[in-house]
Amino acid sequence: MKRTAFFISDGTGITAEALGNSLLAQFGSIQFNKVTLPYIDTIEKAVEAVDIIDQAGKTDGQRPIVFDTVVDEATREIISTSTAYKIDVFSAFLKPLELELGSHSSYSVGKSHSINEVNKYMDRIESVNFAIDNDDGARTQHYDKADIILTGVSRCGKTPSCLYMALQFGIRAANYPLTDNDLTQTTLPEVLEPFRNKLFGLTIDPFQLASIRHERRPNSRYASLDQCEDEVRIVERMFRKQKLAHINTTHFSIEEIATRIIAQMGLKRRIG
């Protein structure tokens, strides 16, 4: 079965996507063609959106699913004329909250993703810059300013995990790759030793690691299964001997990796 799912908003569409994707993920037997329509903030755009939605329904032979976070009531009414099954996020949740809180919603477009708190916004920017500047052991002299330092073999998920923690939670995350020189011993690299309390290890299944590396350097020693198995075995032994907290990233998304690290290390989120 194939269905088209629309995420519609008069802002970025991020909220509609987040909620919609979480719900649709529960239906693994259905193939969804996902379409985001952001900034539907005029009647004219809403009419165009309805045409797109209805055409998708005719093509699929099934009515589309619409996740809608449009604030303006007149625009929402236009979208509701489509043939889709519509999940109106704001009307479903804001009205009950207004009753419970005894207060009216501001009904402001893009409120959750706008720059409302300058300090938090700057924390996000500074954390992302920190992750980029301290990627792959580039500036170990800044490790004293890090909230967390991820370490592990090349291509085990360190960089995307650091960037995700920075962007979503304002955490200053650095990462240090364990290279051939580091893997000749079971002790921590000298540069990491002073920051033991900030270290968190990532490991990965050797078969998956070989597949990931093959995309980068096909048919190289770097991507060979033997090399990957050796590196993973040595690194995991190092983590155990040094009693470093670590996780295997093989079956986790970046979001799950980051959240598990934050929870296990007790990191304080600056934003989010």
Side-chain angles (χ1 to χ4, degrees):
M1 184 186 300
K2 178 184 176 183
R3 301 285 289 267
T4 300
F6 287 90
F7 309 120
I8 301 180
S9 175
D10 41 15
T12 62
I14 293 173
T15 301
E17 286 180 345
L19 176 61
N21 281 319
S22 295
L23 295 174
L24 296 179
Q26 305 303 315
F27 302 92
S29 62
I30 302 175
Q31 179 183 356
F32 292 101
N33 176 34
K34 299 175 183 179
V35 180
T36 301
L37 300 178
Y39 301 111
I40 305 301
D41 50 10
T42 66
I43 298 298
E44 292 74 19
K45 290 180 181 179
V47 171
E48 291 176 5
V50 168
D51 289 340
I52 295 171
I53 294 167
D54 289 347
Q55 183 57 52
K58 291 177 182 177
T59 301
D60 295 345
Q62 298 276 352
R63 64 174 174 167
I65 310 295
V66 167
F67 296 92
D68 159 23
T69 56
V70 172
V71 172
D72 181 68
E73 187 172 350
T75 307
R76 288 206 312 271
E77 287 179 357
I78 296 294
I79 295 171
S80 67
T81 64
S82 74
T83 58
Y85 176 76
K86 184 168 173 284
I87 298 175
D88 188 337
V89 177
F90 280 163
S91 65
F93 296 109
L94 281 183
K95 291 297 183 184
L97 272 176
E98 285 179 336
L99 292 174
E100 174 63 25
L101 298 174
S103 177
H104 289 293
S105 164
S106 64
Y107 289 91
S108 300
V109 176
K111 195 76 171 177
S112 62
H113 300 290
S114 59
I115 307 176
N116 296 314
E117 299 181 51
V118 174
N119 289 340
K120 287 187 176 181
Y121 180 76
M122 292 309 299
D123 276 334
R124 184 194 302 270
I125 298 301
E126 289 174 7
S127 297
V128 170
N129 285 335
F130 185 90
I132 293 171
D133 289 342
N134 293 275
D135 185 41
D136 272 349
R139 298 187 180 183
T140 57
Q141 70 271 25
H142 293 161
Y143 280 0
D144 60 319
K145 298 180 178 64
D147 298 316
I148 187 80
I149 303 168
L150 303 188
T151 189
V153 299
S154 172
R155 312 306 286 180
C156 67
K158 300 183 300 299
T159 296
S161 297
C162 285
L163 288 171
Y164 184 85
M165 286 190 286
L167 184 62
Q168 296 296 324
F169 307 120
I171 289 172
R172 289 168 175 75
N175 76 79
Y176 183 93
L178 295 171
T179 63
D180 286 342
N181 290 336
D182 300 316
L183 299 179
T184 59
Q185 52 192 4
T186 56
T187 57
L188 289 174
E190 185 177 347
V191 70
L192 296 181
E193 186 62 47
F195 309 102
R196 177 181 288 269
N197 64 324
K198 297 182 179 184
L199 294 180
F200 193 97
L202 300 186
T203 184
I204 188 172
D205 178 80
F207 288 94
Q208 182 165 327
L209 181 61
S211 176
I212 294 170
R213 288 183 173 184
H214 184 75
E215 294 294 322
R216 189 178 187 187
R217 297 183 196 168
N219 304 315
S220 64
R221 174 178 171 273
Y222 169 78
S224 71
L225 181 58
D226 286 346
Q227 177 69 16
C228 292
E229 287 179 331
D230 287 344
E231 289 186 26
V232 170
R233 184 180 65 255
I234 293 170
V235 163
E236 289 181 346
R237 186 167 65 238
M238 177 191 292
F239 291 161
R240 289 192 297 270
K241 183 174 181 179
Q242 299 300 321
K243 298 181 180 180
L244 288 186
H246 61 279
I247 60 172
N248 188 307
T249 64
T250 305
H251 302 296
F252 295 137
S253 66
I254 294 302
E255 295 88 342
E256 290 173 306
I257 295 169
T259 304
R260 286 173 181 271
I261 292 170
I262 291 169
Q264 197 164 336
M265 296 296 284
L267 298 178
K268 183 179 179 181
R269 304 179 183 190
R270 291 186 178 85
I271 58 177

